[in-house]
Amino acid sequence: MLNIEQMKWWGWGGENIEFNMDEKPELWPYIKNVLGIEEEVKFTPPVKLEYIELPPQTLNNDFVTTIKSFIDAERFKLDKKERLIHSYGKSLRDLWRIRNGIVNASPDCVIYPLSEDEITRIIKAALDLNVVIIPFGAGSNIAGCLEANNGGNRMIISLDMKLMDKVISVDKQSNTARIQAGALGPLMEKQLNALGVTLGHFPDSFEYSTIGGWIATRSAGMQSDKYGKIEDMVLSLRMVTPNGTIVTRTVPKSSNGIDVNHICIGSEGTLGVITEAVVSVHKLPEYRVPYGYLFPDFESGVKAVYECVENYTSPVVTRLNDVGKTALSLAYRSKSSPIKSFLGKVVKSYLKNFKKFDLNKVCLMLVVFEGDKVTFKNMKKRVDKIYKNHGAFNLGTDPGKAFEKGKYDFPYLRDYVMDRNIMADVSETATVWSNLLPLYYSTMEAVDKAIKEKVKTGFVGCHISHTYHTGASLYFTFGFQQVTGYELEQYLTIKKAAEDAFIKGGATLSHHHAVGFEHIPWIKDDISETGIKAVRGLKNALDPNNIMNPDKIVPSLDKPLDWGLQITDFENVSK
Amino acid sequence: MLNIEQMKWWGWGGENIEFNMDEKPELWPYIKNVLGIEEEVKFTPPVKLEYIELPPQTLNNDFVTTIKSFIDAERFKLDKKERLIHSYGKSLRDLWRIRNGIVNASPDCVIYPLSEDEITRIIKAALDLNVVIIPFGAGSNIAGCLEANNGGNRMIISLDMKLMDKVISVDKQSNTARIQAGALGPLMEKQLNALGVTLGHFPDSFEYSTIGGWIATRSAGMQSDKYGKIEDMVLSLRMVTPNGTIVTRTVPKSSNGIDVNHICIGSEGTLGVITEAVVSVHKLPEYRVPYGYLFPDFESGVKAVYECVENYTSPVVTRLNDVGKTALSLAYRSKSSPIKSFLGKVVKSYLKNFKKFDLNKVCLMLVVFEGDKVTFKNMKKRVDKIYKNHGAFNLGTDPGKAFEKGKYDFPYLRDYVMDRNIMADVSETATVWSNLLPLYYSTMEAVDKAIKEKVKTGFVGCHISHTYHTGASLYFTFGFQQVTGYELEQYLTIKKAAEDAFIKGGATLSHHHAVGFEHIPWIKDDISETGIKAVRGLKNALDPNNIMNPDKIVPSLDKPLDWGLQITDFENVSK
């Protein structure tokens, strides 16, 4: 099966990533320093595949017989390896559990459908025979969307969409493309690029996520400032549910009552299986150049970003790192990086003495400008001016190029540090401009406090990477040393501190990572109790027997609302 | 009560509009000519208020007593005039019925709440006592959203929101405003403008519609190309339902499962009452100048609009009239209009001889540019160039100014012609670029054919006024002479021809006029049968007793799906 074989089953992604520390000489010393690690670090690789025990396999014989009648053995997998690969997404909790050999919930089989017709038959059989279906894109979700709950003692199938990977058609005149839900990022872009267009959606998970997954989770890509979040790109879609197939019309906008596209978008597999969508695409831009800037501090960077938004002059990518993320980014760069020397002695001296920068406060901003010649030039000129007014120092194109080159590599760092008993994770949100810095400060403080409570010291940093007319996202990264036996408790305490700070601070539980089950403790505050009733109403209408991905977004009535925080469900977790 | 008193109860709007035909000397001759009216036209004014009989008033005494306990008599109206004013919206069917004194469904009382708390108590009482609630903004909906169905023999209340008309707060830094749902367009803009901002939402109905109504119907305003449709402006809202209050968070974007804002947006009063919303606002632009252009034909105008979109260079307003709408617009202009002479002999000669325009094919384009000085100049320059490449003749600012001056007056023409036994109405849709002209031709043909079947001759014209990266709206206007005794049959045949053409042509039943009950015959094709089940699921969850605006968007299970076409429901309709 395509791609999945290339993925490390225990970690984020591929063996195509080499984490040669000799190539990044400053990274490991930086991490050790910032996490206060003095002693030698124990190397703890993940448990080997063959030692992991899966829960007993539940087989519904009638279902198996039915599926076998129209799906060949190559696409209907019952073996341990397939079950294991499809057991989890890539949340920290997922990685930690699987690295420690803890799998107490797992799908009983994996089916790889080839067509919507097959999916309809599979769902019908599942409905008739009370079998659970968990749609699976490429498995990189980090909110627990794939947790194998059976809602009873039912057989669970993981419906892996990866064979439905075609760009069905492109309407270049209309700037639209019809794409099958299982199309993996790079494969989809390759097909689109061949026709001169791009979707313009590049999440960090791009290499291991699918368009169906993006739609089901309300994903955002690096170029959302120009192209929007995925929900802004969908013109129409098809979703097979246990109670029929939703089909919407390919029109730019409508006033046809409650927007049915938006009933499917964000449904995280709980209502049905998205099989294809028509999305807006864009001609490949004539020019596309990344730039780097240094700002004297985070606040001046935020002001500059805001002024661009106010002037309707935002680059296609804006990524502003705070002090912590700036230091991490600089430490992360490789020996051969073109930005190797950009903070050399001369530059440092210039910044310190002439620009009066406090080098302990400088923040790195990465931007990308694109468009036709005129747009590109005008945008670059206007943004440059705004940035300079806020004290920025233009670093040229090297830092941007380095970022573009390694933009999908960063998540792999998590695997590297987990090998060394370090936990690292992210929590992100969005808020309005007037609340952005207050929320930044309060969340930084809350996470820092939680880290200090649970471990001596740790890292917390933040970047802004999605901006809007009314506000922006805040994306926090945190890391700390594990204390053996208390890993999940440590992690959940710190994760909870971040999410509590978001909710207390008037923001949302997630800007683009979805709810899954891990964010359920905050869903009631986010969408209100009546909002939960509405979502349950959709579930009752389209999936009354609860066979589709149970207990995600909102829990079933018999589940507690703080379920995502409970570690008692994972009995074997603490070793 | 504010504003409602100023409205002609039988027609669109205010007595503030003077339809002095001496001022528009070319209009009536043009209309008579295009509709093939040779004979003298009989003047048929609407039936006088005092002669209209309302259906018997159903009073639920317990409900009346409960309401009286917390709503004073000034805000709890049981009299005939209030009932009558709240009986209908302003659809052609509504106007025709009320002008002819046909009111066979009417609310039994009108309540004017002052606060969300009052609304909560009213809905609780209605739920406890099985009373129906129809939320009422300013009554200008034209899809039948206000039709007083009781779903049995229940008392019906019209909940008029007009006293909840405050801009509660503006967050200038975040470009957001919290606004009560009952705020009427002009009153809301006045409050916003005083603080230096605008919502940027100006539908034709602006003077007689509310922000709550816009959100409930997925409205679009004249500046949607820059500011988006109303659904793009909502950050958060509050909606009181019979099963609790939905409260969402004020964030620019989120990934919190199914978007609960979008469950409320477009719900047309069927789930609950939207009480307030936080929406994005914009600083008032430095420059704002309207321009007019003439294109050699509709097709070249479409090409020019498309090229602007392709180059991410769209004016804030783009309104391209086809030949018919161009002629109507020119005939509509007043004696004192600055555009009076713009098609004088010299210009005509120039266009014909030098520009090689066929004067029977020219199309009028009205645009508005706005922004700061640089944006304004760049935009104007680039658009000008694109238009010129497609053969446009720049008419300067006069036509645009004339349009801006009278932009909300056009709908009143309907009242004028109805006084003269002429029916005129609109049907609008949206589609992708590659389908825009094919759909335009097929709809024009279908409407023309239907007119010819039912009457000798008539008018059909079209304009484009909302453009997107992937497509645009098509807004058709049609008119014809009534045949006494067959008016609604005539109308429904022609209306059906337009809607059938939209659906057959792959488009949507409406771009911004909502579903109400009049568009229900096309809802199944538009959102699919399973989409209908989803919407019903929301209804069952939030309003299981069906007390909120019954039989809108999707009909109750006991109603036929072609309900909006059935005139048998209106027994007294044919005189």
Side-chain angles (χ1 to χ4, degrees):
Chain A
M1 294 299 157
L2 209 65
N3 287 305
I4 207 76
E5 288 298 331
Q6 301 158 14
M7 292 173 72
K8 281 187 180 171
W9 57 264
W10 59 84
W12 176 275
E15 282 152 17
N16 53 352
I17 181 80
E18 279 299 323
F19 234 90
N20 183 348
M21 273 293 163
D22 293 339
E23 252 305 300
K24 296 181 187 300
E26 291 175 32
L27 184 55
W28 185 234
Y30 171 80
I31 292 172
K32 280 175 74 176
N33 182 45
V34 79
L35 300 189
I37 299 172
E38 283 156 14
E39 70 275 29
E40 206 46 48
V41 167
K42 198 176 68 172
F43 184 77
T44 48
V47 168
K48 279 195 192 311
L49 178 59
E50 50 269 36
Y51 298 136
I52 299 179
E53 259 186 63
L54 292 189
Q57 191 168 32
T58 303
L59 289 182
N60 180 315
N61 289 328
D62 289 345
F63 181 77
V64 171
T65 308
T66 306
I67 296 301
K68 281 189 173 167
S69 74
F70 64 96
I71 303 276
D72 57 62
E74 267 308 290
R75 299 192 288 112
F76 182 31
K77 297 289 192 177
L78 295 149
D79 60 278
K80 179 184 168 186
K81 188 179 170 192
E82 288 277 352
R83 291 179 65 205
L84 186 56
I85 288 171
H86 292 81
S87 290
Y88 292 134
K90 307 294 176 211
S91 77
L92 185 85
R93 174 151 43 182
D94 291 342
L95 297 200
W96 188 83
R97 285 185 291 173
I98 208 161
R99 287 175 64 94
N100 285 279
I102 298 162
V103 181
N104 40 16
S106 176
D108 301 295
C109 72
V110 182
I111 305 179
Y112 294 86
L114 274 173
S115 66
E116 182 179 299
D117 181 54
E118 283 187 356
I119 292 172
T120 307
R121 295 171 75 182
I122 292 163
I123 290 183
K124 189 184 177 310
L127 181 64
D128 291 347
L129 299 164
N130 204 22
V131 165
V132 167
I133 296 175
I134 300 176
F136 188 98
S140 61
N141 172 271
I142 62 168
C145 295
L146 299 171
E147 189 79 7
N149 306 308
N150 55 18
N153 288 312
R154 302 182 286 182
M155 180 178 175
I156 302 172
I157 66 170
S158 177
L159 195 73
D160 190 317
M161 297 293 290
K162 79 167 47 58
L163 298 182
M164 291 176 65
D165 61 359
K166 304 286 178 300
V167 171
I168 299 167
S169 62
V170 169
D171 176 349
K172 269 193 94 160
Q173 192 183 349
S174 303
N175 299 309
T176 60
R178 183 177 291 275
I179 306 174
Q180 286 187 305
L184 206 67
L187 194 63
M188 179 203 70
E189 273 295 315
K190 201 177 157 188
Q191 295 176 72
L192 290 174
N193 291 176
L195 295 163
V197 297
T198 175
L199 179 61
H201 187 78
F202 302 100
D204 287 356
S205 64
F206 181 69
E207 295 174 318
Y208 293 102
S209 55
T210 62
I211 185 168
W214 301 334
I215 295 172
T217 58
R218 293 167 71 191
S219 162
M222 292 178 196
Q223 302 187 167
S224 71
D225 290 4
K226 178 175 175 187
Y227 299 112
K229 279 184 79 189
I230 197 79
E231 58 259 48
D232 306 312
M233 302 180 186
V234 174
L235 280 84
S236 66
L237 49 71
R238 298 179 66 94
M239 185 170 86
V240 183
T241 83
N243 201 5
T245 300
I246 284 181
V247 184
T248 59
R249 298 198 145 223
T250 303
V251 295
K253 284 280 179 183
S254 177
S255 169
N256 54 6
I258 295 163
D259 189 340
V260 175
N261 282 338
H262 273 286
I263 286 174
C264 305
I265 295 168
S267 59
E268 301 185 14
T270 62
L271 302 179
V273 181
I274 296 166
T275 59
E276 63 183 54
V278 177
V279 287
S280 65
V281 293
H282 294 257
K283 269 88 183 168
L284 291 167
E286 222 174 301
Y287 288 79
R288 183 189 161 80
V289 187
Y291 282 89
Y293 293 83
L294 275 188
F295 281 86
D297 49 37
F298 190 55
E299 288 75 6
S300 58
V302 170
K303 276 183 197 157
V305 173
Y306 175 69
E307 198 174 319
C308 287
V309 169
E310 283 291 281
N311 286 282
Y312 306 94
T313 311
S314 293
V316 62
V317 174
T318 297
R319 182 176 287 231
L320 173 66
N321 295 296
D322 76 347
V323 174
K325 279 300 290 283
T326 297
L328 182 59
S329 294
L330 296 182
Y332 186 79
R333 76 184 191 278
S334 61
K335 244 192 215 171
S336 58
S337 161
I339 57 165
K340 182 175 172 288
S341 60
F342 84 79
L343 272 186
K345 274 188 187 165
V346 177
V347 172
K348 276 186 183 169
S349 165
Y350 168 79
L351 289 175
K352 196 171 158 184
N353 297 315
F354 288 87
K355 300 277 286 183
K356 306 289 175 200
F357 275 30
D358 176 346
L359 293 180
N360 294 316
K361 288 189 178 174
V362 290
C363 287
L364 178 64
M365 168 100 91
L366 298 163
V367 298
V368 179
F369 301 108
E370 67 169 42
D372 59 51
K373 198 173 167 181
V374 178
T375 308
F376 176 83
K377 270 180 66 181
N378 284 343
M379 177 71 82
K380 167 83 173 60
K381 193 176 149 193
R382 296 188 74 181
V383 172
D384 225 39
K385 196 178 159 196
I386 291 169
Y387 284 6
K388 272 180 186 150
N389 285 344
H390 291 279
F393 177 70
N394 188 335
L395 296 168
T397 58
D398 283 351
K401 279 181 190 162
F403 171 73
E404 288 265 297
K405 189 165 165 266
K407 64 185 170 186
Y408 303 126
D409 297 346
F410 212 73
Y412 299 105
L413 180 54
R414 204 168 47 159
D415 298 310
Y416 181 87
V417 298
M418 288 185 96
D419 282 346
R420 285 150 187 85
N421 277 313
I422 294 164
M423 287 187 139
D425 202 32
V426 295
S427 255
E428 40 76 68
T429 188
T431 191
V432 292
W433 285 114
S434 62
N435 191 40
L436 197 76
L437 283 174
L439 185 71
Y440 167 72
Y441 300 132
S442 61
T443 306
M444 290 292 282
E445 196 187 328
V447 174
D448 192 54
K449 195 178 154 212
I451 289 175
K452 287 202 174 99
E453 262 171 33
K454 288 292 158 187
V455 275
K456 295 183 292 200
T457 182
F459 170 85
V460 53
C462 178
H463 70 260
I464 292 172
S465 47
H466 307 273
T467 67
Y468 304 94
H469 178 62
T470 55
S473 69
L474 286 173
Y475 194 109
F476 295 88
T477 303
F478 51 87
F480 54 90
Q481 231 186 331
Q482 289 176 188
V483 176
T484 306
Y486 297 94
E487 295 93 338
L488 272 195
E489 191 192 317
Q490 272 184 300
Y491 167 68
L492 289 178
T493 303
I494 296 162
K495 169 83 181 169
K496 182 174 183 303
E499 291 290 330
D500 283 352
F502 297 161
I503 294 298
K504 195 179 159 198
T508 182
L509 60 81
S510 168
H511 169 265
H512 61 268
H513 282 167
V515 183
F517 83 93
E518 301 215 25
H519 287 143
I520 277 182
W522 299 276
I523 192 67
K524 187 180 148 193
D525 282 322
D526 202 313
I527 66 171
S528 76
E529 201 173 335
T530 309
I532 290 178
K533 288 177 189 167
V535 173
R536 283 191 178 136
L538 291 169
K539 180 85 175 169
N540 288 339
L542 301 179
D543 179 28
N545 292 14
N546 196 21
I547 64 165
M548 294 304 309
N549 205 12
D551 303 330
K552 307 305 174 342
I553 315 180
V554 298
S556 308
L557 284 168
D558 60 346
K559 290 283 189 310
L561 258 173
D562 64 345
W563 186 44
L565 285 173
Q566 300 196 330
I567 53 172
T568 50
D569 274 343
F570 313 106
E571 283 169 25
N572 304 314
V573 160
S574 293
K575 285 178 296 183
Chain B
M1 296 297 156
L2 209 65
N3 286 305
I4 209 76
E5 288 298 330
Q6 302 156 12
M7 292 173 71
K8 280 188 180 172
W9 57 266
W10 58 85
W12 177 274
E15 282 152 18
N16 52 351
I17 182 81
E18 280 298 325
F19 234 91
N20 183 349
M21 271 298 164
D22 294 339
E23 251 305 299
K24 297 182 186 298
E26 291 177 33
L27 184 56
W28 185 233
Y30 171 80
I31 291 171
K32 281 174 75 174
N33 182 44
V34 80
L35 300 188
I37 299 172
E38 285 156 14
E39 70 277 28
E40 206 47 49
V41 167
K42 199 176 68 176
F43 184 77
T44 46
V47 168
K48 280 196 194 308
L49 178 61
E50 48 268 40
Y51 297 137
I52 298 180
E53 259 185 63
L54 292 190
Q57 192 167 31
T58 303
L59 290 182
N60 180 316
N61 291 328
D62 289 344
F63 181 78
V64 171
T65 308
T66 306
I67 297 301
K68 279 187 174 167
S69 74
F70 64 96
I71 304 275
D72 58 62
E74 269 306 291
R75 300 192 287 113
F76 181 31
K77 297 289 191 177
L78 293 149
D79 61 278
K80 179 182 168 186
K81 190 178 170 195
E82 288 276 352
R83 290 179 64 206
L84 186 54
I85 287 170
H86 292 82
S87 290
Y88 291 134
K90 308 295 176 209
S91 79
L92 185 84
R93 175 151 44 181
D94 291 342
L95 296 200
W96 188 83
R97 286 185 291 174
I98 208 161
R99 287 175 64 94
N100 286 279
I102 300 163
V103 181
N104 40 17
S106 176
D108 301 296
C109 72
V110 182
I111 305 178
Y112 294 86
L114 274 174
S115 65
E116 183 181 295
D117 181 55
E118 283 187 356
I119 293 172
T120 306
R121 294 172 74 180
I122 293 163
I123 291 182
K124 190 184 176 311
L127 180 66
D128 290 347
L129 299 163
N130 203 21
V131 165
V132 167
I133 296 174
I134 301 177
F136 188 97
S140 61
N141 173 271
I142 63 168
C145 295
L146 298 171
E147 190 79 8
N149 306 307
N150 55 17
N153 288 313
R154 302 182 285 182
M155 179 178 177
I156 302 173
I157 66 170
S158 178
L159 194 74
D160 191 317
M161 298 292 292
K162 80 167 47 57
L163 298 182
M164 291 175 64
D165 62 359
K166 304 286 179 300
V167 171
I168 300 167
S169 61
V170 169
D171 176 348
K172 271 192 94 161
Q173 191 184 349
S174 303
N175 299 308
T176 60
R178 181 178 293 274
I179 305 174
Q180 285 188 308
L184 208 66
L187 194 64
M188 179 202 70
E189 274 295 316
K190 201 177 157 189
Q191 295 175 73
L192 291 174
N193 292 175
L195 295 164
V197 297
T198 175
L199 180 61
H201 186 79
F202 303 100
D204 288 356
S205 65
F206 180 70
E207 294 174 318
Y208 294 103
S209 54
T210 60
I211 186 168
W214 301 334
I215 295 172
T217 58
R218 290 167 73 189
S219 163
M222 291 177 196
Q223 302 188 167
S224 71
D225 290 6
K226 179 176 175 186
Y227 299 112
K229 280 184 77 188
I230 197 79
E231 58 259 47
D232 307 313
M233 301 178 186
V234 174
L235 279 84
S236 66
L237 47 71
R238 298 179 66 94
M239 185 170 87
V240 183
T241 84
N243 202 5
T245 300
I246 284 181
V247 184
T248 59
R249 299 198 144 221
T250 303
V251 296
K253 286 280 177 182
S254 176
S255 170
N256 53 6
I258 295 164
D259 189 340
V260 175
N261 282 338
H262 273 286
I263 286 174
C264 306
I265 296 169
S267 59
E268 299 185 14
T270 61
L271 301 179
V273 181
I274 295 165
T275 59
E276 61 182 57
V278 177
V279 287
S280 65
V281 293
H282 295 256
K283 268 89 184 168
L284 290 167
E286 224 174 301
Y287 289 80
R288 182 189 160 83
V289 187
Y291 282 88
Y293 293 84
L294 276 188
F295 281 85
D297 50 37
F298 190 57
E299 288 77 4
S300 57
V302 170
K303 276 183 198 158
V305 174
Y306 176 69
E307 198 173 319
C308 287
V309 170
E310 283 289 281
N311 286 282
Y312 305 95
T313 312
S314 294
V316 62
V317 173
T318 296
R319 184 176 285 232
L320 173 67
N321 294 295
D322 76 348
V323 175
K325 279 300 289 284
T326 297
L328 182 60
S329 293
L330 296 183
Y332 186 81
R333 76 183 191 279
S334 62
K335 245 190 212 171
S336 58
S337 161
I339 57 166
K340 182 176 173 285
S341 61
F342 84 80
L343 272 186
K345 273 186 186 168
V346 177
V347 172
K348 274 187 183 168
S349 165
Y350 168 78
L351 288 175
K352 195 171 159 185
N353 298 315
F354 289 85
K355 298 277 287 182
K356 303 292 176 199
F357 275 29
D358 177 347
L359 293 181
N360 294 315
K361 288 189 177 173
V362 290
C363 287
L364 178 64
M365 169 99 91
L366 299 162
V367 297
V368 178
F369 301 107
E370 66 169 43
D372 60 50
K373 197 173 168 183
V374 177
T375 308
F376 176 83
K377 270 180 66 180
N378 284 345
M379 176 72 83
K380 167 83 172 60
K381 193 176 150 193
R382 296 189 73 181
V383 171
D384 225 42
K385 196 179 159 196
I386 291 170
Y387 284 7
K388 272 180 187 150
N389 286 344
H390 291 279
F393 176 70
N394 189 335
L395 297 167
T397 58
D398 282 352
K401 279 181 191 161
F403 170 74
E404 289 265 297
K405 188 165 166 266
K407 64 186 171 187
Y408 303 125
D409 296 348
F410 212 74
Y412 300 104
L413 180 54
R414 204 167 51 158
D415 299 310
Y416 181 86
V417 298
M418 287 185 98
D419 280 346
R420 285 147 187 87
N421 278 313
I422 293 164
M423 287 186 138
D425 203 32
V426 294
S427 255
E428 40 76 67
T429 189
T431 191
V432 292
W433 285 114
S434 62
N435 191 41
L436 196 77
L437 283 173
L439 185 72
Y440 168 72
Y441 299 133
S442 61
T443 306
M444 290 293 282
E445 197 188 326
V447 174
D448 193 56
K449 197 178 152 209
I451 289 175
K452 286 203 173 98
E453 262 172 31
K454 289 288 158 189
V455 275
K456 295 182 293 200
T457 181
F459 169 85
V460 52
C462 180
H463 71 260
I464 292 171
S465 46
H466 307 274
T467 66
Y468 303 94
H469 179 61
T470 56
S473 69
L474 286 172
Y475 194 108
F476 296 88
T477 303
F478 52 88
F480 54 90
Q481 231 187 333
Q482 288 177 187
V483 177
T484 306
Y486 298 93
E487 296 91 339
L488 272 197
E489 191 191 318
Q490 273 184 300
Y491 167 68
L492 290 178
T493 303
I494 295 162
K495 169 83 181 168
K496 182 176 184 302
E499 291 291 330
D500 283 352
F502 296 161
I503 294 297
K504 196 179 158 198
T508 182
L509 59 81
S510 168
H511 169 264
H512 59 268
H513 282 167
V515 183
F517 84 93
E518 301 215 26
H519 287 143
I520 277 182
W522 299 276
I523 192 67
K524 188 180 148 193
D525 282 322
D526 202 311
I527 67 170
S528 77
E529 202 174 333
T530 309
I532 290 178
K533 287 178 191 169
V535 173
R536 284 190 178 138
L538 290 169
K539 181 84 173 168
N540 288 340
L542 300 179
D543 178 28
N545 293 13
N546 195 23
I547 65 164
M548 294 304 311
N549 204 12
D551 303 330
K552 309 302 176 343
I553 317 180
V554 299
S556 306
L557 282 169
D558 61 344
K559 290 283 188 311
L561 258 173
D562 63 347
W563 186 44
L565 284 172
Q566 299 195 335
I567 55 173
T568 50
D569 274 343
F570 313 107
E571 284 169 23
N572 303 317
V573 161
S574 292
K575 285 178 297 188

